[in-house]
Amino acid sequence: MQKILGFTLLTAAFLILGGCTNLDQEFYDRVTPETFFKSEKDIKAALYRPFTHARWYLGEDRWNLQEYTADQFAITTKGRHWYNGGENERYHYHRWTPDDNWIWGTWRGTLMGVALALDTKQDLEKLDYTKFALTQADKDDHINQLTTLIAFFYLRGLDYFGGLPIFESLEGESLPRNTDKETFTHVETLLKEAIQKLPKKNAGDMEEGALRQAAAAALLARLYFNAEAYIGQPMFAECKKLCQDILSKQYGEYSLDPTWYGPHNFSNDRSPEIIWSIPSEFNKLQYDWFYNTFYHYNTIKYFGIDGGGWNGAHLTPSKKPTGEWYAEYKLGAPFRKFNDLDLRKKPYKYLGGGRYEGMFIYGPHLTPSGEVITGGEEYKDQPLVFVDQVGRFSEVGPGRRYASVSELPSKMSEGEENTGVRIVKVPVPNNTDKSLRWGADNPAIRLTEIQYMLAECLMREGDKGGAATLINEVRKRNFENGIDPDPVTAANLDEYRMLDEWGTEFLAEGRRRTDLIRWKKFTTESWWDHEPSDDHYKRFPVPTQAISGNNNLLQNPGY
C-alpha cells in the first residue's frame, strides 16, 4: 500500500472517522514499505509507534472518563481555581454533552490507535523479514502484537461508546458505526486469533511492554466479563474459564507479587504479577500525566523535588464538614474503605534507595525533615493540612460567611486548596534519587485483575467461599505479617463488598466506571454530591466533531 502525501491513508482515516490530528509522523510521496524499511531498527520504530500511542491513551481523557464520572475521584472548584467552565461538575453530575473535550479526545484517540496499529501491521505484513536478519517467528510476533493492540483499542471504544466503525484497511470513506454486537465479535475474533499465535512469558522474564499470550487472553476475559453491559448477554462462564487457565499458567508464567507495592514501584518491570505494562523512564516516555492534576503547588517540598503541581484532583470525601461519616452512601468514600491497619493507608514517605511506604497524602503537610509546609491560597502562610472532607472551612467564624461548621455545604463548588486526600499510586523519589523518577512502568494488566474477575464470577455462581479465598490471597499482602483484620467471608461478601475490593485494590487505575456499570450502579446509585442519572449515561455520546466530519455516524440514544 502506498503512502501518498496528503489526503490518504492515516490522514484520510481520521477525517473519514471524524476529525484529523497531528500524528507526529512523517509522510513521504509514494514510499512503499519495501523501500522505506532499511534495517531492523526501522521495523522496531514502526512497531513501537502505536505502542507509544497506547501509552498516551491509558491516561488523561480516558482515565478522566473512567474516574471523574464515578464515585472515587473529583476535581472540586477551589476558590478561584478549577471551575473550568463547569466541565468538572458536568462529568461528576452526569451532565456531559457531545461537545465536551474529554469525549472527543477519547473517540479520536481510540480510532487513531486502531489506524496506527493497522497501518503498521499492513506495512510489516509485506516485508520479507529474512532480508533484515529476522525470522518468520519475529514477524508473526510483531503482527500478532499489533492484532492484539487493535483489539485493545476497539475493546476500550466499545466500553465508552458502544459500536464503532470497523475498518480493516485504511481505504474507504465516511464509514458508519457497526453495531455493538458486530464490534464485540470483531474484538473477540481478533483476540482469539492472537492468543493462538503469540508467545508465552517464561519464568523470570522482565515485562518490557510487549503483548504476549496472557495479555490477549486477559483482554478477552475483560470482554466477556463485561459482555452483559456491552451486548446484553452475560458471559461470566466464558470469563471464568479464561481466568482459571491464566491462573493455572496455561498462557505463561505469572504469580501474585508478595508485596502491595511490587506491581507499582520503580522496578515493577520485574514484578511476576505484571501481564502487560507500558515502559516509563525519566526524560523519555514518562508515566507522569497525573502529577500536575493531583498535587498541590507546595507538594514539591513534601516530595523533596522540583516542579509544582496544579492542585486539582482528590478522592471523594469520607466525612461531612462536621466530621461525621457519610454513612448514608454505600459507594464512594474510598479512603475510609481502607482498613486503618492497611499498609497502603500510611502517608506516603520516600525512604531512599528506591524504597517507600504508604500511598496517600493527608493530614499535616511536612517536608521530609519535618518542617511545616504552608498554603498559598485560603491558607496562605498557614500550615497546610489535607482533609478527607469538602467544604469552605476558611469561611467559618465571626464575621465570615458561615457561623459554624454545621452550616457548611459540601459539594463540587466548595473546595479549598487543602481539600481531599491525594493518592501517590506511582512513587515519587526525592532529588537525591532523581534518576529513579518516573521509573515505575504503567501496569496496564495485572494478575490480580484476573484473580478478582474469577472471584466475582464465582460469587455470581453462588460460590462466595471460593471468591473470598481468592480475594484474601491478595488482601493479606496489605497487612503486617499477612494478618488481615477484616478478611472477606462468605457471610460479608455482597455486591457492595465486591465493589469495595475492586475499588481499594485498583484505586486510580482507570476502571471504576466500568465496574459500576457491570454491577448496574453507575446511573442508579447516589454517592457524595451525586444523584442517580438517566440510564443513557452508561455510554458516552458520539462527539459533535466526529459527526460533523462524517454524517454517516449515528448518535447514541439520549443525546
Side-chain angles (χ1 to χ4, degrees):
M1 182 181 299
Q2 294 178 325
K3 296 179 187 292
I4 303 172
L5 187 65
F7 189 79
T8 55
L9 298 180
L10 286 174
T11 305
F14 301 130
L15 291 173
I16 289 166
L17 298 169
C20 181
T21 186
N22 177 14
L23 302 177
D24 296 325
Q25 185 168 326
E26 294 183 8
F27 289 86
Y28 298 86
D29 186 19
R30 300 192 178 276
V31 178
T32 62
E34 293 83 353
T35 57
F36 176 71
F37 292 95
K38 301 295 186 183
S39 66
E40 178 184 355
K41 182 178 179 181
D42 293 333
I43 291 175
K44 289 186 175 180
L47 177 66
Y48 295 160
R49 177 63 186 94
F51 280 89
T52 61
H53 182 79
R55 165 206 165 267
W56 165 83
Y57 184 87
L58 281 168
E60 302 185 19
D61 292 350
R62 276 61 53 202
W63 190 96
N64 296 350
L65 293 184
Q66 284 285 68
E67 299 291 358
Y68 296 133
T69 63
D71 63 323
Q72 295 188 311
F73 286 92
I75 302 178
T76 52
T77 300
K78 300 170 184 63
R80 61 196 178 98
H81 299 291
W82 284 103
Y83 178 65
N84 285 10
E87 179 179 55
N88 302 318
E89 294 185 5
R90 287 197 299 278
Y91 287 107
H92 184 82
Y93 297 137
H94 293 189
R95 297 173 185 165
W96 55 77
T97 75
D99 297 319
D100 276 305
N101 288 330
W102 294 350
I103 295 170
W104 165 236
T106 298
W107 174 274
R108 184 183 65 175
T110 299
L111 295 177
M112 186 191 307
V114 172
L116 284 167
L118 182 59
D119 183 53
T120 303
K121 179 181 176 181
Q122 292 177 338
D123 281 352
L124 297 187
E125 284 176 332
K126 294 177 171 63
L127 295 181
D128 179 356
Y129 267 48
T130 62
K131 293 181 179 179
F132 304 93
L134 295 171
T135 66
Q136 183 64 38
D138 293 323
K139 181 175 182 177
D140 291 345
D141 179 40
H142 294 171
I143 296 303
N144 286 296
Q145 285 196 60
L146 292 165
T147 297
T148 306
L149 198 57
I150 291 167
F152 163 76
F153 286 118
Y154 268 123
L155 172 57
R156 292 296 298 267
L158 176 66
D159 188 274
Y160 289 122
F161 301 103
L164 296 169
I166 295 176
F167 53 102
E168 299 184 73
S169 76
L170 298 182
E171 298 175 343
E173 294 184 10
S174 299
L175 299 178
R177 297 174 68 187
N178 288 76
T179 66
D180 302 343
K181 178 63 175 177
E182 288 168 343
T183 305
F184 182 97
T185 301
H186 186 57
V187 174
E188 182 183 36
T189 301
L190 291 173
L191 291 173
K192 283 184 173 180
E193 175 189 341
I195 288 171
Q196 299 301 318
K197 299 176 180 179
L198 284 167
K200 297 179 182 180
K201 177 187 175 183
N202 298 313
D205 286 352
M206 291 177 60
E207 173 52 45
E208 297 178 324
L211 284 159
R212 290 183 267 205
Q213 197 172 100
L219 291 173
L220 186 59
R222 281 185 185 177
L223 181 73
Y224 293 149
F225 194 46
N226 295 289
E228 186 174 12
Y230 297 157
I231 58 172
Q233 177 184 342
M235 299 183 72
F236 294 107
E238 291 85 346
C239 176
K240 173 186 172 183
K241 178 63 167 62
L242 277 165
C243 291
Q244 289 172 328
D245 290 346
I246 294 170
L247 290 170
S248 65
K249 304 184 186 300
Q250 290 191 34
Y251 296 108
E253 291 285 336
Y254 303 91
S255 59
L256 292 178
D257 200 291
T259 67
W260 70 264
Y261 52 80
H264 308 287
N265 69 11
F266 302 104
S267 57
N268 62 346
D269 55 345
R270 298 180 182 276
S271 172
E273 180 171 317
I274 301 298
I275 294 177
W276 180 40
S277 65
I278 305 295
S280 174
E281 191 173 350
F282 187 41
N283 285 332
K284 293 185 179 178
L285 291 175
Q286 298 181 171
Y287 173 32
D288 64 352
W289 63 267
F290 51 84
Y291 177 83
N292 287 328
T293 302
F294 274 110
Y295 303 130
H296 188 277
Y297 327 111
N298 292 335
T299 296
I300 55 173
K301 299 175 183 177
Y302 178 85
F303 287 139
I305 60 173
D306 304 315
W310 299 337
N311 196 32
H314 53 81
L315 275 62
T316 53
S318 304
K319 295 180 179 179
K320 302 175 183 180
T322 57
E324 302 169 88
W325 298 113
Y326 279 111
E328 63 266 41
Y329 302 128
K330 293 184 177 180
L331 296 176
F335 190 60
R336 185 187 180 192
K337 301 293 173 65
F338 287 81
N339 188 282
D340 287 343
L341 295 180
D342 194 318
L343 297 171
R344 298 169 297 178
K345 201 172 184 178
K346 291 183 178 183
Y348 174 81
K349 183 178 181 181
Y350 184 68
L351 303 174
R355 298 174 301 111
Y356 65 97
E357 65 181 20
M359 67 176 202
F360 294 103
I361 295 174
Y362 62 96
H365 219 31
L366 306 173
T367 68
S369 62
E371 298 173 8
V372 172
I373 299 172
T374 58
E377 297 288 334
E378 293 88 356
Y379 299 97
K380 184 176 175 58
D381 300 326
Q382 299 178 52
L384 194 56
V385 180
F386 288 98
V387 296
D388 191 14
Q389 298 161 290
V390 174
R392 300 284 297 171
F393 293 92
S394 61
E395 298 183 4
V396 175
R400 298 186 181 181
R401 186 178 176 187
Y402 303 103
S404 68
V405 168
S406 63
E407 297 179 12
L408 282 178
S410 184
K411 54 185 180 179
M412 286 289 290
S413 60
E414 302 297 312
E416 296 184 310
E417 66 175 310
N418 66 332
T419 289
V421 174
R422 315 301 170 91
I423 187 170
V424 191
K425 193 90 181 223
V426 182
V428 181
N430 58 30
N431 275 341
T432 301
D433 290 336
K434 192 172 183 177
S435 62
L436 292 177
R437 194 173 185 187
W438 313 128
D441 296 343
N442 185 348
I445 305 175
R446 300 196 276 128
L447 191 68
T448 300
E449 178 185 357
I450 308 304
Q451 190 135 336
Y452 274 38
M453 283 197 286
L454 178 56
E456 186 175 315
C457 290
L458 293 177
M459 175 189 171
R460 289 174 180 271
E461 290 181 349
D463 184 5
K464 290 187 176 182
T469 298
L470 288 167
I471 296 169
N472 290 332
E473 188 180 353
V474 177
R475 281 183 58 90
K476 66 183 182 181
R477 69 187 182 188
N478 301 321
F479 299 94
E480 197 74 45
N481 299 318
I483 302 173
D484 183 352
D486 183 28
V488 177
T489 66
N492 67 25
L493 182 59
D494 61 11
E495 56 193 346
Y496 292 102
R497 179 65 189 255
M498 189 73 237
L499 278 169
D500 285 348
E501 295 304 321
W502 279 112
T504 52
E505 177 62 29
F506 291 91
L507 183 66
E509 294 189 43
R511 62 172 296 130
R512 187 60 173 177
R513 166 188 158 273
T514 300
D515 290 332
L516 293 182
I517 290 173
R518 188 178 61 260
W519 280 105
K520 300 179 175 64
K521 307 295 184 189
F522 185 66
T523 59
T524 60
E525 293 262 340
S526 299
W527 50 84
W528 171 78
D529 197 31
H530 175 89
E531 299 296 327
S533 61
D534 190 83
D535 202 50
H536 78 270
Y537 285 107
K538 289 192 295 188
R539 286 187 177 165
F540 294 105
V542 180
T544 299
Q545 286 175 270
I547 293 176
S548 66
N550 178 1
N551 57 16
N552 285 330
L553 294 174
L554 296 180
Q555 184 55 272
N556 279 331
Y559 292 103

